[in-house]
Amino acid sequence: MTDRRKFLKDLAIIGAAATAAPALMGCNRNASSDEQMAEAAVAADNFWLVEKNNALPITGTFLDEISHDIPHQNWGVKEWDADFRHMKAIGIDTVIMIRSGYRKFITFNSPYLIGKGCYRPSQDLLEMFLTLADKYNMKFYFGLYDSGRYWDTGDLSWEIEDNKYVIDEVWKNYGSRHKSFQGWYISGEISRATKGAISAFHAMGKQCKDVSGGLPTFISPWIDGKKAVMASGSNLSKDDAVSVQQHEKEWDEIFDGIHDVVDACAFQDGHIDYDELDAFFEVNKRLADKYGMKCWTNAETFDRDMPIKFLPIKFDKLRLKLEAAKRAGYDKAITFEFSHFLSPQSAYLQAGHLYDRYKEYFGI
């Protein structure tokens, strides 16, 4: 009797399990189906609210190996080679050494600057960058030497003397050997009618052109807007910002004095607010057209709106600036700067995410 009852109990358990199995399997199928639908919705990228690919793409970047306000990443040729590949993958065709030296730190073996007390670099970064630009078929612009005396005195004419020798050294030892050497960056950064600016830009621009057979030159000034504050300070804005009218007046005079030896101007875009972009960009383009210059934008990929200086910018802020550049009819967008603020291998994790959002927006 005991064996019979046990048999019947076991049979009931087996039957119940058999009855429940299809229902359980159905639940799993539904769960799997829901997950697949959710994954499909994410994969379909249904969350964008703005029109994609409606901005001026970044096709150039500064290379910042001599800086005083962002950390050094201590890359060698392996890391730089990888970064050039990342640049190429999003359409960057131009790299600009932002400066060949700043005060005593320099990027190449310059007998003149070392003789003046500058430190000999451990690697020839200029040769490395030119070689990589050759490899990836990019244009390379050489940034002139910055002695720091302009920042100490407010007079840009100090930079003429040292660069007389630097320009000649670089063209003789590097420029004539590399197909990628395609231009010059006059690295003095100004925003207003600065003492000695017109004469300094003209003298250095003319020498660059004369020694290289007329290769193009460009400058990248900043707009003296509400966010043009000292990087070392705690303030994020100021009250005495330049008006659009005064900006146009002063830069009309500067362009008039340099347009024959400076081919392009890439105003930095981070010192004005986002609702001021169209007004200032329209002026910049009109002035460039008036004097036969190319109008570029220096689309900063770092954020000036945060108390921590400096971190990669929020994607929407970059998008607003590049969309404004397209509306204004700008000729080219370059950035300061890819390797720290936009590269997947940057020391900042946020830079790789910015790279991904940028690729999604432009459909790369």
Side-chain angles (χ1 to χ4, degrees), residues 215-290:
L215 287 182
T217 65
F218 85 97
I219 59 174
S220 186
W222 40 285
I223 300 169
D224 195 21
K226 63 177 65 176
K227 291 189 277 187
V229 296
M230 292 293 292
S232 57
S234 59
N235 293 331
L236 296 179
S237 64
K238 65 179 185 177
D239 295 327
D240 57 337
V242 71
S243 67
V244 176
Q245 294 76 18
Q246 186 64 21
H247 172 77
E248 181 170 14
K249 179 178 182 296
E250 294 184 20
W251 280 97
D252 193 351
E253 180 181 351
I254 295 169
F255 281 6
D256 183 54
I258 66 172
H259 70 276
D260 58 324
V261 293
V262 175
D263 299 279
C265 180
F267 278 103
Q268 301 167 28
D269 69 1
H271 296 92
I272 54 177
D273 217 342
Y274 304 100
D275 56 8
E276 299 177 301
L277 291 167
D278 287 308
F280 279 97
F281 281 16
E282 189 274 332
V283 164
N284 295 342
K285 184 65 167 68
R286 184 167 66 247
L287 288 174
D289 288 348
K290 176 180 178 180

Side-chain angles (χ1 to χ4, degrees), residues 125-145:
L125 296 171
L126 176 55
E127 182 69 24
M128 181 194 298
F129 290 154
L130 281 164
T131 301
L132 289 171
D134 290 344
K135 176 180 177 179
Y136 290 100
N137 196 30
M138 294 180 179
K139 296 178 181 179
F140 177 90
Y141 280 68
F142 176 81
L144 302 188
Y145 172 68

Side-chain angles (χ1 to χ4, degrees), residues 330-348:
Y330 275 27
D331 300 295
K332 188 179 184 69
I334 63 174
T335 186
F336 184 88
E337 65 55 89
F338 180 90
S339 298
H340 280 86
F341 306 116
L342 190 54
S343 170
Q345 64 171 5
S346 167
Y348 298 119

Side-chain angles (χ1 to χ4, degrees), residues 97-307:
M97 178 182 279
I98 193 165
R99 55 184 72 86
S100 54
Y102 179 63
R103 298 188 188 269
K104 289 190 175 184
F105 285 95
I106 58 177
T107 59
F108 69 107
N109 188 26
S110 167
Y112 170 76
L113 292 175
I114 292 171
K116 294 271 290 185
C118 290
Y119 308 128
R120 187 184 304 276
S122 56
Q123 295 186 10
D124 191 333
L125 296 171
L126 176 55
E127 182 69 24
M128 181 194 298
F129 290 154
L130 281 164
T131 301
L132 289 171
D134 290 344
K135 176 180 177 179
Y136 290 100
N137 196 30
M138 294 180 179
K139 296 178 181 179
F140 177 90
Y141 280 68
F142 176 81
L144 302 188
Y145 172 68
D146 183 346
S147 71
R149 286 180 289 183
Y150 158 63
W151 301 106
D152 297 334
T153 67
D155 184 352
L156 197 61
S157 61
W158 280 107
E159 305 308 319
I160 299 174
E161 185 64 23
D162 287 333
N163 279 297
K164 284 180 182 177
Y165 301 93
V166 170
I167 292 166
D168 284 344
E169 273 186 355
V170 165
W171 182 251
K172 177 182 177 182
N173 297 325
Y174 298 88
S176 57
R177 292 191 295 105
H178 288 277
K179 65 177 183 179
S180 60
F181 199 116
Q182 292 292 312
W184 307 84
Y185 170 55
I186 306 172
S187 59
E189 296 180 25
I190 67 171
S191 66
R192 306 287 295 269
T194 302
K195 183 179 180 181
I198 293 176
S199 59
F201 283 154
H202 197 279
M204 291 185 285
K206 185 176 187 305
Q207 185 181 353
C208 288
K209 283 186 164 295
D210 287 348
V211 76
S212 63
L215 287 182
T217 65
F218 85 97
I219 59 174
S220 186
W222 40 285
I223 300 169
D224 195 21
K226 63 177 65 176
K227 291 189 277 187
V229 296
M230 292 293 292
S232 57
S234 59
N235 293 331
L236 296 179
S237 64
K238 65 179 185 177
D239 295 327
D240 57 337
V242 71
S243 67
V244 176
Q245 294 76 18
Q246 186 64 21
H247 172 77
E248 181 170 14
K249 179 178 182 296
E250 294 184 20
W251 280 97
D252 193 351
E253 180 181 351
I254 295 169
F255 281 6
D256 183 54
I258 66 172
H259 70 276
D260 58 324
V261 293
V262 175
D263 299 279
C265 180
F267 278 103
Q268 301 167 28
D269 69 1
H271 296 92
I272 54 177
D273 217 342
Y274 304 100
D275 56 8
E276 299 177 301
L277 291 167
D278 287 308
F280 279 97
F281 281 16
E282 189 274 332
V283 164
N284 295 342
K285 184 65 167 68
R286 184 167 66 247
L287 288 174
D289 288 348
K290 176 180 178 180
Y291 290 102
M293 299 168 66
K294 294 292 184 182
C295 189
W296 297 359
T297 187
N298 180 355
E300 294 178 343
T301 36
F302 64 92
D303 203 328
R304 291 187 179 273
D305 302 328
M306 300 177 64

